[in-house]
Amino acid sequence: MRGSLIVLEGCDRVGKTTQCVKLIEKIAAYSGKASLLKFPDRSSLTGGLIDNYLRNKLELTDKVVHLLFSANRWELEPKMKNLLLNGTHLVVDRYAFSGVAYSAAKDGMDMEWCRSPDIGLPRPDLVVYLDLDPKSAASRIGYGEERYESRKFQEAVRNNFLKLKESYWMIVDARKSVDDMHEEIWDRVRKTIDECWKEPIEKLWC
Ligand code: T5A
């Protein structure tokens, strides 16, 4: 039985990491093997460049940084596939949808062009999109420390995310309490785990 690929997405500070941590504990208790990944993975070669870029310590052109974010995912693609095929459920904090939603919010960046380098990555069985208006997100601790954390930009990113919605997405109102959101997400994740092992791992946007 293969593991399921669950991705959490959303704008900055909407509560993705908080939900990922709760989810991984629940999945491990429910069905054994579970692993948490986060993109960007700031520990790799590309991740070091991305980290410096996000902390405004390095300037890169929009297209270059977009391709670095994508390469950062491809670096982990073999590991992701191995884990899934070995029956480990993966919870992933941001994925290719963030790649497109953020880059395409910049002037002169085309959404289809942004999508292309991530075509063929493992397709998630479920995307949990946490939706929160940028004004509420801006009031949360730590907001404003990195490059993209301005309300106008986050509004454009939010619009882009909603354009990327597909049948395997669920949208969660991130104004709810941590525990209420967790209950709602877990209900859907459990169903996904119970069902998806019968299907092969699909390829994203193919
Ligand atoms: N990016 C990323 C790209 O441009 N292209 C790409 O391809 C990818 C993958 C990465 C940046 O890079 C961009 C997007 C980002 O700008 P990040 O490291 O993912 O950034 O940083 P954030 O999205 O800002 O992630 P954070 O971890 O900072 O925010 P989370 O995970 O959404 O939120 P979380 O759980 O840390 O919570 C934030 C705060 O809110 C509170 C928490 O206690 C915490 O203080 N909170 C709640 N408060 C009230 N109600 C709730 N329900 C709450 N849930 C959490």
Side-chain angles (χ1 to χ4, degrees):
M1 275 171 56
R2 74 165 174 95
S4 47
L5 177 53
I6 313 292
V7 167
L8 274 85
E9 281 285 13
C11 293
D12 289 58
R13 314 305 285 168
V14 296
K16 299 176 297 298
T17 305
T18 305
Q19 292 300 324
C20 283
V21 170
K22 289 181 79 73
L23 203 48
I24 208 86
E25 286 170 8
K26 200 64 152 276
I27 297 175
Y30 182 68
S31 68
K33 295 188 280 185
S35 200
L36 177 60
L37 298 177
K38 179 174 173 67
F39 290 113
D41 170 10
R42 301 190 193 215
S43 68
S44 75
L45 194 64
T46 58
L49 293 170
I50 291 169
D51 183 51
N52 278 325
Y53 173 81
L54 288 172
R55 291 191 291 121
N56 295 307
K57 294 189 169 172
L58 175 68
E59 290 308 317
L60 296 165
T61 68
D62 294 337
K63 285 194 167 72
V64 168
V65 79
H66 180 75
L67 295 173
L68 280 177
F69 272 114
S70 177
N72 187 251
R73 285 183 281 279
W74 282 105
E75 280 175 333
L76 284 188
E77 184 248 6
K79 178 181 171 182
M80 288 175 71
K81 270 189 169 165
N82 278 340
L83 286 167
L84 290 170
L85 293 173
N86 286 332
T88 302
H89 302 291
L90 293 184
V91 174
V92 181
D93 191 343
R94 292 195 186 276
Y95 200 48
F97 310 96
S98 279
V100 177
Y102 280 77
S103 288
K106 297 175 178 176
D107 286 343
M109 292 289 279
D110 173 70
M111 194 169 247
E112 285 314 306
W113 185 90
C114 291
R115 208 194 279 255
S116 50
D118 285 299
I119 290 174
L121 280 171
R123 200 205 82 173
D125 297 298
L126 175 66
V127 173
V128 180
Y129 175 72
L130 307 190
D131 191 43
L132 185 67
D133 63 284
K135 191 175 170 199
S136 305
S139 68
R140 291 191 174 172
I141 296 166
Y143 187 95
E145 290 169 1
E146 288 201 331
R147 187 179 284 266
Y148 296 140
E149 293 176 348
S150 80
R151 271 173 50 190
K152 189 163 172 255
F153 189 77
Q154 294 287 321
E155 200 65 70
V157 172
R158 188 188 192 199
N159 289 337
N160 285 342
F161 267 125
L162 295 173
K163 287 182 199 159
L164 295 168
K165 181 175 178 284
E166 302 213 31
S167 58
Y168 52 90
W169 283 43
M170 76 177 286
I171 297 193
V172 177
D173 182 350
R175 291 172 302 178
K176 292 181 182 171
S177 74
V178 169
D179 287 342
D180 284 352
M181 282 164 70
H182 175 63
E183 285 306 311
E184 188 179 339
I185 294 168
W186 172 239
D187 189 51
R188 180 74 181 265
V189 167
R190 187 174 39 74
K191 286 177 187 146
T192 303
I193 288 174
D194 290 346
E195 287 293 318
C196 79
W197 61 271
K198 300 168 198 157
E199 308 292 335
I201 303 166
E202 289 190 34
K203 291 185 175 184
L204 185 64
W205 296 322
C206 285

mmCIF file of all heavy atoms in Angstrom, residues 151-194:
data_model
loop_
_atom_site.group_PDB
_atom_site.id
_atom_site.type_symbol
_atom_site.label_atom_id
_atom_site.label_comp_id
_atom_site.label_asym_id
_atom_site.label_seq_id
_atom_site.Cartn_x
_atom_site.Cartn_y
_atom_site.Cartn_z
ATOM 1 N N ARG A 151 0.600 43.420 2.320
ATOM 2 C CA ARG A 151 -0.814 43.068 2.107
ATOM 3 C C ARG A 151 -1.209 43.079 0.645
ATOM 4 O O ARG A 151 -1.955 42.227 0.178
ATOM 5 C CB ARG A 151 -1.712 43.988 2.929
ATOM 6 C CG ARG A 151 -1.920 43.378 4.311
ATOM 7 C CD ARG A 151 -2.641 44.250 5.268
ATOM 8 N NE ARG A 151 -3.881 44.804 4.753
ATOM 9 C CZ ARG A 151 -4.557 45.754 5.392
ATOM 10 N NH1 ARG A 151 -4.105 46.233 6.536
ATOM 11 N NH2 ARG A 151 -5.675 46.214 4.904
ATOM 12 N N LYS A 152 -0.714 44.051 -0.120
ATOM 13 C CA LYS A 152 -1.091 44.150 -1.538
ATOM 14 C C LYS A 152 -0.611 42.908 -2.302
ATOM 15 O O LYS A 152 -1.353 42.312 -3.092
ATOM 16 C CB LYS A 152 -0.476 45.423 -2.126
ATOM 17 C CG LYS A 152 -0.948 45.754 -3.512
ATOM 18 C CD LYS A 152 -0.638 47.198 -3.874
ATOM 19 C CE LYS A 152 -0.951 47.439 -5.345
ATOM 20 N NZ LYS A 152 0.228 47.528 -6.181
ATOM 21 N N PHE A 153 0.618 42.520 -2.035
ATOM 22 C CA PHE A 153 1.175 41.351 -2.729
ATOM 23 C C PHE A 153 0.406 40.086 -2.317
ATOM 24 O O PHE A 153 0.058 39.244 -3.154
ATOM 25 C CB PHE A 153 2.670 41.211 -2.414
ATOM 26 C CG PHE A 153 3.353 40.163 -3.251
ATOM 27 C CD1 PHE A 153 3.693 40.420 -4.572
ATOM 28 C CD2 PHE A 153 3.630 38.903 -2.731
ATOM 29 C CE1 PHE A 153 4.296 39.448 -5.367
ATOM 30 C CE2 PHE A 153 4.238 37.923 -3.512
ATOM 31 C CZ PHE A 153 4.576 38.196 -4.834
ATOM 32 N N GLN A 154 0.113 39.974 -1.028
ATOM 33 C CA GLN A 154 -0.587 38.769 -0.540
ATOM 34 C C GLN A 154 -2.003 38.669 -1.143
ATOM 35 O O GLN A 154 -2.516 37.584 -1.368
ATOM 36 C CB GLN A 154 -0.673 38.776 0.990
ATOM 37 C CG GLN A 154 0.685 38.652 1.674
ATOM 38 C CD GLN A 154 1.295 37.260 1.579
ATOM 39 O OE1 GLN A 154 0.608 36.264 1.671
ATOM 40 N NE2 GLN A 154 2.605 37.193 1.383
ATOM 41 N N GLU A 155 -2.607 39.816 -1.404
ATOM 42 C CA GLU A 155 -3.943 39.819 -2.038
ATOM 43 C C GLU A 155 -3.847 39.210 -3.438
ATOM 44 O O GLU A 155 -4.684 38.398 -3.844
ATOM 45 C CB GLU A 155 -4.444 41.265 -2.104
ATOM 46 C CG GLU A 155 -5.936 41.426 -2.282
ATOM 47 C CD GLU A 155 -6.741 40.916 -1.094
ATOM 48 O OE1 GLU A 155 -6.713 41.515 -0.014
ATOM 49 O OE2 GLU A 155 -7.404 39.873 -1.290
ATOM 50 N N ALA A 156 -2.812 39.594 -4.179
ATOM 51 C CA ALA A 156 -2.618 39.043 -5.537
ATOM 52 C C ALA A 156 -2.315 37.547 -5.466
ATOM 53 O O ALA A 156 -2.801 36.759 -6.292
ATOM 54 C CB ALA A 156 -1.481 39.793 -6.238
ATOM 55 N N VAL A 157 -1.536 37.152 -4.475
ATOM 56 C CA VAL A 157 -1.203 35.731 -4.313
ATOM 57 C C VAL A 157 -2.478 34.930 -4.014
ATOM 58 O O VAL A 157 -2.706 33.859 -4.586
ATOM 59 C CB VAL A 157 -0.180 35.538 -3.153
ATOM 60 C CG1 VAL A 157 0.021 34.066 -2.834
ATOM 61 C CG2 VAL A 157 1.159 36.182 -3.511
ATOM 62 N N ARG A 158 -3.314 35.480 -3.146
ATOM 63 C CA ARG A 158 -4.565 34.789 -2.781
ATOM 64 C C ARG A 158 -5.451 34.590 -4.014
ATOM 65 O O ARG A 158 -6.012 33.516 -4.227
ATOM 66 C CB ARG A 158 -5.297 35.620 -1.723
ATOM 67 C CG ARG A 158 -6.499 34.932 -1.121
ATOM 68 C CD ARG A 158 -7.224 35.926 -0.253
ATOM 69 N NE ARG A 158 -8.242 35.323 0.597
ATOM 70 C CZ ARG A 158 -9.220 36.023 1.143
ATOM 71 N NH1 ARG A 158 -9.312 37.325 0.928
ATOM 72 N NH2 ARG A 158 -10.120 35.430 1.904
ATOM 73 N N ASN A 159 -5.551 35.629 -4.850
ATOM 74 C CA ASN A 159 -6.344 35.500 -6.084
ATOM 75 C C ASN A 159 -5.773 34.406 -6.980
ATOM 76 O O ASN A 159 -6.512 33.634 -7.580
ATOM 77 C CB ASN A 159 -6.364 36.824 -6.861
ATOM 78 C CG ASN A 159 -7.203 37.856 -6.163
ATOM 79 O OD1 ASN A 159 -8.079 37.505 -5.376
ATOM 80 N ND2 ASN A 159 -6.930 39.124 -6.408
ATOM 81 N N ASN A 160 -4.457 34.350 -7.069
ATOM 82 C CA ASN A 160 -3.822 33.319 -7.911
ATOM 83 C C ASN A 160 -4.087 31.918 -7.380
ATOM 84 O O ASN A 160 -4.359 30.989 -8.150
ATOM 85 C CB ASN A 160 -2.307 33.558 -7.999
ATOM 86 C CG ASN A 160 -1.962 34.707 -8.914
ATOM 87 O OD1 ASN A 160 -2.781 35.121 -9.726
ATOM 88 N ND2 ASN A 160 -0.758 35.226 -8.793
ATOM 89 N N PHE A 161 -3.986 31.759 -6.063
ATOM 90 C CA PHE A 161 -4.254 30.432 -5.484
ATOM 91 C C PHE A 161 -5.644 29.949 -5.914
ATOM 92 O O PHE A 161 -5.821 28.791 -6.303
ATOM 93 C CB PHE A 161 -4.207 30.485 -3.951
ATOM 94 C CG PHE A 161 -2.869 30.158 -3.351
ATOM 95 C CD1 PHE A 161 -2.236 31.038 -2.488
ATOM 96 C CD2 PHE A 161 -2.234 28.942 -3.621
ATOM 97 C CE1 PHE A 161 -1.002 30.735 -1.909
ATOM 98 C CE2 PHE A 161 -1.004 28.625 -3.056
ATOM 99 C CZ PHE A 161 -0.398 29.525 -2.191
ATOM 100 N N LEU A 162 -6.616 30.843 -5.830
ATOM 101 C CA LEU A 162 -7.989 30.409 -6.125
ATOM 102 C C LEU A 162 -8.155 30.035 -7.601
ATOM 103 O O LEU A 162 -8.985 29.203 -7.942
ATOM 104 C CB LEU A 162 -8.985 31.477 -5.674
ATOM 105 C CG LEU A 162 -8.964 31.662 -4.133
ATOM 106 C CD1 LEU A 162 -9.829 32.829 -3.694
ATOM 107 C CD2 LEU A 162 -9.376 30.385 -3.396
ATOM 108 N N LYS A 163 -7.316 30.601 -8.473
ATOM 109 C CA LYS A 163 -7.345 30.214 -9.896
ATOM 110 C C LYS A 163 -6.767 28.814 -10.106
ATOM 111 O O LYS A 163 -7.012 28.173 -11.115
ATOM 112 C CB LYS A 163 -6.519 31.199 -10.734
ATOM 113 C CG LYS A 163 -7.161 32.555 -10.913
ATOM 114 C CD LYS A 163 -6.263 33.426 -11.798
ATOM 115 C CE LYS A 163 -6.616 34.889 -11.612
ATOM 116 N NZ LYS A 163 -5.540 35.785 -12.004
ATOM 117 N N LEU A 164 -5.968 28.351 -9.159
ATOM 118 C CA LEU A 164 -5.303 27.042 -9.312
ATOM 119 C C LEU A 164 -6.119 25.888 -8.737
ATOM 120 O O LEU A 164 -5.728 24.729 -8.855
ATOM 121 C CB LEU A 164 -3.933 27.068 -8.607
ATOM 122 C CG LEU A 164 -2.898 28.016 -9.197
ATOM 123 C CD1 LEU A 164 -1.698 28.165 -8.255
ATOM 124 C CD2 LEU A 164 -2.427 27.500 -10.560
ATOM 125 N N LYS A 165 -7.250 26.208 -8.119
ATOM 126 C CA LYS A 165 -8.062 25.192 -7.423
ATOM 127 C C LYS A 165 -8.480 24.059 -8.370
ATOM 128 O O LYS A 165 -8.878 24.309 -9.493
ATOM 129 C CB LYS A 165 -9.299 25.890 -6.858
ATOM 130 C CG LYS A 165 -10.229 25.006 -6.082
ATOM 131 C CD LYS A 165 -11.334 25.869 -5.482
ATOM 132 C CE LYS A 165 -12.329 25.028 -4.729
ATOM 133 N NZ LYS A 165 -13.250 24.280 -5.575
ATOM 134 N N GLU A 166 -8.354 22.828 -7.892
ATOM 135 C CA GLU A 166 -8.761 21.664 -8.692
ATOM 136 C C GLU A 166 -9.665 20.759 -7.856
ATOM 137 O O GLU A 166 -9.898 21.021 -6.675
ATOM 138 C CB GLU A 166 -7.525 20.898 -9.156
ATOM 139 C CG GLU A 166 -6.589 21.781 -9.979
ATOM 140 C CD GLU A 166 -5.857 21.036 -11.066
ATOM 141 O OE1 GLU A 166 -6.398 20.065 -11.607
ATOM 142 O OE2 GLU A 166 -4.720 21.436 -11.352
ATOM 143 N N SER A 167 -10.110 19.664 -8.456
ATOM 144 C CA SER A 167 -11.091 18.798 -7.782
ATOM 145 C C SER A 167 -10.545 18.179 -6.493
ATOM 146 O O SER A 167 -11.296 17.831 -5.602
ATOM 147 C CB SER A 167 -11.508 17.680 -8.736
ATOM 148 O OG SER A 167 -10.357 16.962 -9.133
ATOM 149 N N TYR A 168 -9.225 18.041 -6.387
ATOM 150 C CA TYR A 168 -8.640 17.406 -5.206
ATOM 151 C C TYR A 168 -8.247 18.426 -4.131
ATOM 152 O O TYR A 168 -7.431 18.139 -3.264
ATOM 153 C CB TYR A 168 -7.443 16.515 -5.608
ATOM 154 C CG TYR A 168 -6.398 17.207 -6.457
ATOM 155 C CD1 TYR A 168 -5.323 17.869 -5.872
ATOM 156 C CD2 TYR A 168 -6.491 17.220 -7.846
ATOM 157 C CE1 TYR A 168 -4.368 18.514 -6.637
ATOM 158 C CE2 TYR A 168 -5.528 17.854 -8.625
ATOM 159 C CZ TYR A 168 -4.474 18.500 -8.015
ATOM 160 O OH TYR A 168 -3.531 19.134 -8.787
ATOM 161 N N TRP A 169 -8.834 19.638 -4.188
ATOM 162 C CA TRP A 169 -8.587 20.659 -3.169
ATOM 163 C C TRP A 169 -9.750 20.716 -2.180
ATOM 164 O O TRP A 169 -10.900 20.494 -2.558
ATOM 165 C CB TRP A 169 -8.486 22.044 -3.803
ATOM 166 C CG TRP A 169 -7.210 22.370 -4.512
ATOM 167 C CD1 TRP A 169 -6.500 21.566 -5.353
ATOM 168 C CD2 TRP A 169 -6.500 23.620 -4.453
ATOM 169 N NE1 TRP A 169 -5.398 22.229 -5.820
ATOM 170 C CE2 TRP A 169 -5.373 23.488 -5.293
ATOM 171 C CE3 TRP A 169 -6.713 24.824 -3.792
ATOM 172 C CZ2 TRP A 169 -4.453 24.531 -5.479
ATOM 173 C CZ3 TRP A 169 -5.809 25.859 -3.979
ATOM 174 C CH2 TRP A 169 -4.688 25.710 -4.809
ATOM 175 N N MET A 170 -9.428 21.045 -0.920
ATOM 176 C CA MET A 170 -10.462 21.483 0.010
ATOM 177 C C MET A 170 -10.056 22.867 0.516
ATOM 178 O O MET A 170 -8.866 23.136 0.706
ATOM 179 C CB MET A 170 -10.634 20.505 1.183
ATOM 180 C CG MET A 170 -9.569 20.568 2.244
ATOM 181 S SD MET A 170 -9.844 19.445 3.672
ATOM 182 C CE MET A 170 -11.171 20.270 4.549
ATOM 183 N N ILE A 171 -11.053 23.729 0.691
ATOM 184 C CA ILE A 171 -10.755 25.083 1.164
ATOM 185 C C ILE A 171 -11.260 25.209 2.605
ATOM 186 O O ILE A 171 -12.408 24.876 2.898
ATOM 187 C CB ILE A 171 -11.389 26.136 0.245
ATOM 188 C CG1 ILE A 171 -10.743 25.999 -1.141
ATOM 189 C CG2 ILE A 171 -11.199 27.541 0.813
ATOM 190 C CD1 ILE A 171 -10.984 27.101 -2.113
ATOM 191 N N VAL A 172 -10.366 25.660 3.480
ATOM 192 C CA VAL A 172 -10.692 25.764 4.899
ATOM 193 C C VAL A 172 -10.633 27.235 5.310
ATOM 194 O O VAL A 172 -9.679 27.945 4.964
ATOM 195 C CB VAL A 172 -9.678 24.936 5.736
ATOM 196 C CG1 VAL A 172 -9.951 25.090 7.223
ATOM 197 C CG2 VAL A 172 -9.716 23.465 5.322
ATOM 198 N N ASP A 173 -11.632 27.667 6.042
ATOM 199 C CA ASP A 173 -11.679 29.037 6.539
ATOM 200 C C ASP A 173 -10.681 29.171 7.702
ATOM 201 O O ASP A 173 -10.921 28.654 8.799
ATOM 202 C CB ASP A 173 -13.107 29.342 7.009
ATOM 203 C CG ASP A 173 -13.261 30.757 7.506
ATOM 204 O OD1 ASP A 173 -12.236 31.447 7.667
ATOM 205 O OD2 ASP A 173 -14.414 31.175 7.744
ATOM 206 N N ALA A 174 -9.570 29.868 7.445
ATOM 207 C CA ALA A 174 -8.482 29.920 8.426
ATOM 208 C C ALA A 174 -8.725 30.949 9.532
ATOM 209 O O ALA A 174 -7.844 31.177 10.367
ATOM 210 C CB ALA A 174 -7.151 30.188 7.720
ATOM 211 N N ARG A 175 -9.941 31.540 9.568
ATOM 212 C CA ARG A 175 -10.292 32.392 10.714
ATOM 213 C C ARG A 175 -10.709 31.534 11.900
ATOM 214 O O ARG A 175 -10.814 32.009 13.020
ATOM 215 C CB ARG A 175 -11.452 33.335 10.350
ATOM 216 C CG ARG A 175 -11.077 34.415 9.350
ATOM 217 C CD ARG A 175 -12.295 35.168 8.892
ATOM 218 N NE ARG A 175 -13.277 34.245 8.283
ATOM 219 C CZ ARG A 175 -14.462 34.620 7.815
ATOM 220 N NH1 ARG A 175 -14.836 35.874 7.865
ATOM 221 N NH2 ARG A 175 -15.281 33.723 7.277
ATOM 222 N N LYS A 176 -10.989 30.257 11.640
ATOM 223 C CA LYS A 176 -11.442 29.366 12.713
ATOM 224 C C LYS A 176 -10.308 29.079 13.696
ATOM 225 O O LYS A 176 -9.140 29.332 13.400
ATOM 226 C CB LYS A 176 -11.918 28.042 12.108
ATOM 227 C CG LYS A 176 -13.175 28.164 11.291
ATOM 228 C CD LYS A 176 -13.556 26.793 10.771
ATOM 229 C CE LYS A 176 -14.789 26.882 9.893
ATOM 230 N NZ LYS A 176 -15.051 25.602 9.215
ATOM 231 N N SER A 177 -10.678 28.492 14.835
ATOM 232 C CA SER A 177 -9.651 28.156 15.836
ATOM 233 C C SER A 177 -8.775 27.019 15.306
ATOM 234 O O SER A 177 -9.184 26.269 14.398
ATOM 235 C CB SER A 177 -10.309 27.723 17.144
ATOM 236 O OG SER A 177 -10.848 26.422 16.978
ATOM 237 N N VAL A 178 -7.588 26.887 15.882
ATOM 238 C CA VAL A 178 -6.662 25.831 15.479
ATOM 239 C C VAL A 178 -7.354 24.466 15.575
ATOM 240 O O VAL A 178 -7.266 23.636 14.651
ATOM 241 C CB VAL A 178 -5.397 25.874 16.375
ATOM 242 C CG1 VAL A 178 -4.539 24.634 16.171
ATOM 243 C CG2 VAL A 178 -4.591 27.143 16.103
ATOM 244 N N ASP A 179 -8.066 24.224 16.683
ATOM 245 C CA ASP A 179 -8.667 22.894 16.875
ATOM 246 C C ASP A 179 -9.840 22.640 15.923
ATOM 247 O O ASP A 179 -9.991 21.528 15.408
ATOM 248 C CB ASP A 179 -9.131 22.733 18.336
ATOM 249 C CG ASP A 179 -7.931 22.561 19.263
ATOM 250 O OD1 ASP A 179 -6.843 22.228 18.757
ATOM 251 O OD2 ASP A 179 -8.084 22.785 20.472
ATOM 252 N N ASP A 180 -10.637 23.655 15.671
ATOM 253 C CA ASP A 180 -11.768 23.469 14.738
ATOM 254 C C ASP A 180 -11.253 23.171 13.323
ATOM 255 O O ASP A 180 -11.786 22.311 12.616
ATOM 256 C CB ASP A 180 -12.668 24.712 14.703
ATOM 257 C CG ASP A 180 -13.551 24.799 15.946
ATOM 258 O OD1 ASP A 180 -13.553 23.826 16.730
ATOM 259 O OD2 ASP A 180 -14.202 25.842 16.133
ATOM 260 N N MET A 181 -10.215 23.899 12.931
ATOM 261 C CA MET A 181 -9.643 23.635 11.600
ATOM 262 C C MET A 181 -9.084 22.229 11.539
ATOM 263 O O MET A 181 -9.274 21.514 10.556
ATOM 264 C CB MET A 181 -8.515 24.633 11.292
ATOM 265 C CG MET A 181 -9.008 26.002 10.879
ATOM 266 S SD MET A 181 -7.697 27.209 10.986
ATOM 267 C CE MET A 181 -6.667 26.716 9.664
ATOM 268 N N HIS A 182 -8.404 21.846 12.595
ATOM 269 C CA HIS A 182 -7.791 20.506 12.615
ATOM 270 C C HIS A 182 -8.862 19.411 12.459
ATOM 271 O O HIS A 182 -8.664 18.458 11.688
ATOM 272 C CB HIS A 182 -7.007 20.321 13.911
ATOM 273 C CG HIS A 182 -6.458 18.939 14.070
ATOM 274 N ND1 HIS A 182 -5.521 18.413 13.202
ATOM 275 C CD2 HIS A 182 -6.748 17.950 14.956
ATOM 276 C CE1 HIS A 182 -5.241 17.170 13.562
ATOM 277 N NE2 HIS A 182 -5.980 16.867 14.613
ATOM 278 N N GLU A 183 -9.962 19.555 13.166
ATOM 279 C CA GLU A 183 -11.035 18.548 13.070
ATOM 280 C C GLU A 183 -11.533 18.424 11.629
ATOM 281 O O GLU A 183 -11.716 17.336 11.097
ATOM 282 C CB GLU A 183 -12.215 18.941 13.982
ATOM 283 C CG GLU A 183 -11.964 18.698 15.452
ATOM 284 C CD GLU A 183 -11.532 17.264 15.740
ATOM 285 O OE1 GLU A 183 -12.192 16.331 15.259
ATOM 286 O OE2 GLU A 183 -10.507 17.088 16.431
ATOM 287 N N GLU A 184 -11.775 19.594 11.012
ATOM 288 C CA GLU A 184 -12.293 19.620 9.636
ATOM 289 C C GLU A 184 -11.279 18.990 8.663
ATOM 290 O O GLU A 184 -11.640 18.182 7.797
ATOM 291 C CB GLU A 184 -12.553 21.086 9.251
ATOM 292 C CG GLU A 184 -13.255 21.279 7.936
ATOM 293 C CD GLU A 184 -13.496 22.768 7.650
ATOM 294 O OE1 GLU A 184 -13.501 23.596 8.590
ATOM 295 O OE2 GLU A 184 -13.661 23.091 6.458
ATOM 296 N N ILE A 185 -10.017 19.332 8.848
ATOM 297 C CA ILE A 185 -8.973 18.818 7.944
ATOM 298 C C ILE A 185 -8.798 17.309 8.152
ATOM 299 O O ILE A 185 -8.715 16.539 7.187
ATOM 300 C CB ILE A 185 -7.643 19.578 8.178
ATOM 301 C CG1 ILE A 185 -7.779 21.051 7.762
ATOM 302 C CG2 ILE A 185 -6.504 18.916 7.413
ATOM 303 C CD1 ILE A 185 -6.640 21.942 8.217
ATOM 304 N N TRP A 186 -8.763 16.901 9.413
ATOM 305 C CA TRP A 186 -8.523 15.483 9.702
ATOM 306 C C TRP A 186 -9.626 14.599 9.099
ATOM 307 O O TRP A 186 -9.352 13.523 8.556
ATOM 308 C CB TRP A 186 -8.386 15.250 11.208
ATOM 309 C CG TRP A 186 -8.344 13.800 11.558
ATOM 310 C CD1 TRP A 186 -9.193 13.117 12.373
ATOM 311 C CD2 TRP A 186 -7.410 12.814 11.068
ATOM 312 N NE1 TRP A 186 -8.864 11.790 12.423
ATOM 313 C CE2 TRP A 186 -7.768 11.580 11.630
ATOM 314 C CE3 TRP A 186 -6.327 12.869 10.205
ATOM 315 C CZ2 TRP A 186 -7.088 10.398 11.355
ATOM 316 C CZ3 TRP A 186 -5.634 11.694 9.928
ATOM 317 C CH2 TRP A 186 -6.015 10.484 10.500
ATOM 318 N N ASP A 187 -10.835 15.066 9.168
ATOM 319 C CA ASP A 187 -11.966 14.297 8.623
ATOM 320 C C ASP A 187 -11.718 13.972 7.142
ATOM 321 O O ASP A 187 -11.888 12.840 6.691
ATOM 322 C CB ASP A 187 -13.246 15.130 8.801
ATOM 323 C CG ASP A 187 -14.467 14.320 8.461
ATOM 324 O OD1 ASP A 187 -14.584 13.203 8.997
ATOM 325 O OD2 ASP A 187 -15.286 14.786 7.632
ATOM 326 N N ARG A 188 -11.259 14.966 6.396
ATOM 327 C CA ARG A 188 -11.020 14.782 4.954
ATOM 328 C C ARG A 188 -9.727 13.989 4.707
ATOM 329 O O ARG A 188 -9.670 13.147 3.808
ATOM 330 C CB ARG A 188 -10.958 16.162 4.295
ATOM 331 C CG ARG A 188 -10.716 16.161 2.815
ATOM 332 C CD ARG A 188 -11.943 15.725 2.011
ATOM 333 N NE ARG A 188 -11.604 15.728 0.590
ATOM 334 C CZ ARG A 188 -11.843 16.738 -0.249
ATOM 335 N NH1 ARG A 188 -12.482 17.810 0.177
ATOM 336 N NH2 ARG A 188 -11.479 16.655 -1.510
ATOM 337 N N VAL A 189 -8.708 14.240 5.514
ATOM 338 C CA VAL A 189 -7.426 13.529 5.328
ATOM 339 C C VAL A 189 -7.628 12.035 5.591
ATOM 340 O O VAL A 189 -7.108 11.186 4.852
ATOM 341 C CB VAL A 189 -6.330 14.120 6.245
ATOM 342 C CG1 VAL A 189 -5.096 13.225 6.305
ATOM 343 C CG2 VAL A 189 -5.940 15.515 5.758
ATOM 344 N N ARG A 190 -8.370 11.713 6.630
ATOM 345 C CA ARG A 190 -8.608 10.294 6.950
ATOM 346 C C ARG A 190 -9.287 9.587 5.777
ATOM 347 O O ARG A 190 -8.889 8.487 5.377
ATOM 348 C CB ARG A 190 -9.466 10.191 8.224
ATOM 349 C CG ARG A 190 -9.630 8.774 8.740
ATOM 350 C CD ARG A 190 -10.367 8.727 10.074
ATOM 351 N NE ARG A 190 -11.465 9.667 10.201
ATOM 352 C CZ ARG A 190 -12.656 9.550 9.610
ATOM 353 N NH1 ARG A 190 -12.917 8.509 8.854
ATOM 354 N NH2 ARG A 190 -13.597 10.468 9.783
ATOM 355 N N LYS A 191 -10.262 10.246 5.189
ATOM 356 C CA LYS A 191 -10.950 9.648 4.022
ATOM 357 C C LYS A 191 -9.965 9.485 2.860
ATOM 358 O O LYS A 191 -9.994 8.483 2.141
ATOM 359 C CB LYS A 191 -12.119 10.532 3.591
ATOM 360 C CG LYS A 191 -13.296 10.443 4.550
ATOM 361 C CD LYS A 191 -14.411 11.384 4.140
ATOM 362 C CE LYS A 191 -15.486 11.385 5.217
ATOM 363 N NZ LYS A 191 -16.144 12.676 5.376
ATOM 364 N N THR A 192 -9.107 10.465 2.671
ATOM 365 C CA THR A 192 -8.120 10.396 1.579
ATOM 366 C C THR A 192 -7.171 9.220 1.799
ATOM 367 O O THR A 192 -6.889 8.451 0.873
ATOM 368 C CB THR A 192 -7.321 11.718 1.491
ATOM 369 O OG1 THR A 192 -8.241 12.784 1.316
ATOM 370 C CG2 THR A 192 -6.333 11.708 0.346
ATOM 371 N N ILE A 193 -6.692 9.060 3.032
ATOM 372 C CA ILE A 193 -5.779 7.947 3.347
ATOM 373 C C ILE A 193 -6.469 6.608 3.077
ATOM 374 O O ILE A 193 -5.871 5.683 2.511
ATOM 375 C CB ILE A 193 -5.331 8.030 4.829
ATOM 376 C CG1 ILE A 193 -4.359 9.191 5.006
ATOM 377 C CG2 ILE A 193 -4.705 6.720 5.301
ATOM 378 C CD1 ILE A 193 -3.972 9.456 6.451
ATOM 379 N N ASP A 194 -7.724 6.520 3.462
ATOM 380 C CA ASP A 194 -8.460 5.254 3.309
ATOM 381 C C ASP A 194 -8.703 4.892 1.839
ATOM 382 O O ASP A 194 -8.863 3.731 1.497
ATOM 383 C CB ASP A 194 -9.814 5.332 4.046
ATOM 384 C CG ASP A 194 -9.629 5.352 5.551
ATOM 385 O OD1 ASP A 194 -8.520 5.038 6.017
ATOM 386 O OD2 ASP A 194 -10.598 5.701 6.262
#
